């Protein structure tokens, strides 16, 4: 099957592209390099021996997308291309709503125009569960009011896809709710290296471990969790990438719309992951306790039994693997700068 991967040079996108190629899929990438670098394409080629067709286009651009569809005739889409910084979205709601909605709409219009393309995988997030009433979270738990415009785009797009699936019975749509993707490719060639000060915990720890930043700010130690710090479900990006291949295989059985949590099912606190990182890498991570970060929830982890039962999804890697792989990637990246 030929698959269009939007945002295919980004963190999760690039790992998924490699998994797809290694599973025999033909991959086309659309990415406007907003939050990615062109040399990721070389790295994908280095890892897989295949250089996917690449289109440097904004997925909002229907004309450019139309040309791509006419030429490539993809049968499936994995839609990663989106703005994803929670804090930034609060200050730039218009940009977030426009970009995340319009890219999705443009792709759905292409599916209308090119009926050969019936399969759509959407990158959603655990953020749609808002402040959870309980953990672990199941797919049947309610979507809550989002705490940011970024989260709102995920909530609303999920609803839009559900409405579209109701009237387009020939479509197969997978909504994948990611928990906290971390780690990097085993080769050290792909990973997450945000510009400036990272917002997310693991990229921040990577910068502390490699001497770029002095210490980790732990946002709150007074949550109702065993050690008082926030608990999350950290999933290795390689496991997450494999989840996309399994979801695509599921879509090939014509299930209509399906929704899956992709996590590990295990919660890890901020202090625990700092300790795990130290054990995995042998490097001391200094930290200071700071006040809670606005919008953070105490605890958030997945019940992954649906993905396990229906997709055969289980995680191969643990938090230690992810810490070590993330560290190795960051060390290599710093040397290249
Ligand atoms: C956020 C988003 C999620 C998105 C994910 C990855 C929300 C509520 N969360 O998850 O949708 O998929 O990023 O982009 O929309 N922490 C620190 N110090 C730091 C950074 C974080 O202590 O410097 C703590 C946080 O308080 C939290 C945990 O580490 O308890 C994880 O934070 P982070 O990596 O930012 O991810 P989330 O906020 O869970």
């Amino acid at each position: 099957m030929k698959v269009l991967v939007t945002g295919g040079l980004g963190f999760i996108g690039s790992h998924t592209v490699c998994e797809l190629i290694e599973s025999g899929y033909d991959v086309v990438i659309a990415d406007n390099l907003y939050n990615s670098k062109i040399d990721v394409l070389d790295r994908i080629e280095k890892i897989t021996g295949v250089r996917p067709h690449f289109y440097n286009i904004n997925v909002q651009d229907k004309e450019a997308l139309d040309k791509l569809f006419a030429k490539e005739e993809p049968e499936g889409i994995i839609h990663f291309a989106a703005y994803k910084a929670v804090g930034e979205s609060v200050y730039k709601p218009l940009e977030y709503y426009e970009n995340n909605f319009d890219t999705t709409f443009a792709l759905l219009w292409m599916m209308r125009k090119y009926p050969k393309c019936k399969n759509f995988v959407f990158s959603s997030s655990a953020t749609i569960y808002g402040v959870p009433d309980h953990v672990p979270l199941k797919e049947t738990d309610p979507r809550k009011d989002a705490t940011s415009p970024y989260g709102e785009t995920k909530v609303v797009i999920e609803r839009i896809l559900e409405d579209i699936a109701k009237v387009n019975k020939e479509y197969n749509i997978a909504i994948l709710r990611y928990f906290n993707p971390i780690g990097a490719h085993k080769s050290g060639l792909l990973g997450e290296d945000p510009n400036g000060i990272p917002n997310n915990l693991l990229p921040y720890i990577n910068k502390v471990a490699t001497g770029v930043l002095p210490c980790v700010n732990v946002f709150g130690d007074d949550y109702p969790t065993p050690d008082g710090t926030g608990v999350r479900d950290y999933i290795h990006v390689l496991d997450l990438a494999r989840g996309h291949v399994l979801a695509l295989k599921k879509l090939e059985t014509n299930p209509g719309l399906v929704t899956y949590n992709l996590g590990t099912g295990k919660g890890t606190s901020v202090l625990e992951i700092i300790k795990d990182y130290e054990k995995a890498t042998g490097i001391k991570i200094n930290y200071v306790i700071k006040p809670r970060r606005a919008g953070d929830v105490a605890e958030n982890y997945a019940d992954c039994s649906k993905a396990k039962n229906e997709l055969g999804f289980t995680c191969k890697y643990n938090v230690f693997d992810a810490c070590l792989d993330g560290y190795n990637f960051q060390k290599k990246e710093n040397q290249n700068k």
Side-chain angles (χ1 to χ4, degrees), residues 103-305:
T103 50
T104 309
F105 292 150
L107 292 166
L108 292 167
W109 280 114
M110 289 305 124
M111 286 175 70
R112 168 88 60 93
K113 183 163 178 191
Y114 295 89
K116 195 175 159 187
C117 187
K118 293 202 301 273
N119 303 301
F120 189 87
V121 178
F122 177 62
S123 296
S124 190
S125 165
T127 193
I128 64 98
Y129 294 114
V131 181
D133 299 325
H134 61 93
V135 278
L137 287 152
K138 275 182 177 301
E139 290 82 350
T140 45
D141 286 326
R143 276 186 295 249
K144 297 270 189 66
D145 282 346
T147 50
S148 69
Y150 156 78
E152 188 67 15
T153 67
K154 298 296 178 191
V155 168
V156 175
I157 293 170
E158 283 202 2
R159 285 203 197 107
I160 291 170
L161 292 174
E162 286 166 3
D163 287 341
I164 284 178
K166 278 182 206 150
V167 290
N168 294 275
K169 302 284 184 205
E170 72 286 11
Y171 283 5
N172 297 301
I173 299 176
I175 291 173
L176 302 182
R177 295 174 178 162
Y178 311 151
F179 281 70
N180 290 57
I182 61 167
H185 197 268
K186 294 280 166 197
S187 62
L189 291 170
L190 303 175
E192 191 180 22
D193 183 20
N195 291 328
I197 310 279
N199 294 309
N200 297 119
L201 181 61
L202 265 292
Y204 203 108
I205 298 180
N206 285 336
K207 302 255 181 199
V208 173
T210 54
V212 179
L213 291 170
C215 73
V216 178
N217 300 310
V218 175
F219 297 141
D221 67 349
D222 56 353
Y223 283 106
T225 59
D227 66 17
T229 65
V231 169
R232 295 290 183 276
D233 186 338
Y234 296 96
I235 176 171
H236 197 298
V237 66
L238 284 172
D239 284 321
L240 189 62
R242 205 162 30 79
H244 289 75
V245 175
L246 294 172
L248 212 49
K249 288 200 191 310
K250 175 76 177 178
L251 295 190
E252 287 168 47
T253 68
N254 288 317
L257 183 136
V258 286
T259 302
Y260 297 106
N261 284 341
L262 291 181
T264 65
K266 185 176 176 290
T268 305
S269 75
V270 177
L271 291 182
E272 278 171 337
I273 207 161
I274 289 175
K275 290 280 159 280
D276 290 346
Y277 197 102
E278 288 179 334
K279 268 190 223 152
T281 62
I283 293 169
K284 172 109 188 70
I285 305 295
N286 293 320
Y287 65 86
V288 286
I289 306 291
K290 294 277 178 174
R292 291 182 181 191
R293 184 173 66 176
D296 274 348
V297 300
E299 227 179 349
N300 182 331
Y301 59 92
D303 179 325
C304 300
S305 49

Side-chain angles (χ1 to χ4, degrees), residues 44-58:
I44 289 171
E45 186 178 8
K46 227 178 199 173
I47 292 166
T48 64
V50 174
R51 192 174 184 85
H53 286 179
F54 170 66
Y55 292 76
N56 182 346
I57 60 171
N58 186 328

Side-chain angles (χ1 to χ4, degrees), residues 2-8 26-32 52-79 81 103 106-107 110-111 113-114 116-117:
K2 190 182 263 193
V3 187
L4 168 63
V5 182
T6 75
D26 200 357
V27 175
V28 180
I29 296 174
D31 194 310
N32 68 351
H53 286 179
F54 170 66
Y55 292 76
N56 182 346
I57 60 171
N58 186 328
V59 179
Q60 290 179 48
D61 181 347
K62 279 195 201 146
E63 249 173 65
L65 212 48
D66 201 347
K67 281 190 194 136
L68 182 157
F69 269 74
K71 186 148 187 275
E72 302 284 353
E73 301 187 334
E75 291 156 83
I77 299 167
I78 303 185
H79 180 32
T103 50
L107 292 166
M110 289 305 124
M111 286 175 70
K113 183 163 178 191
Y114 295 89
K116 195 175 159 187
C117 187

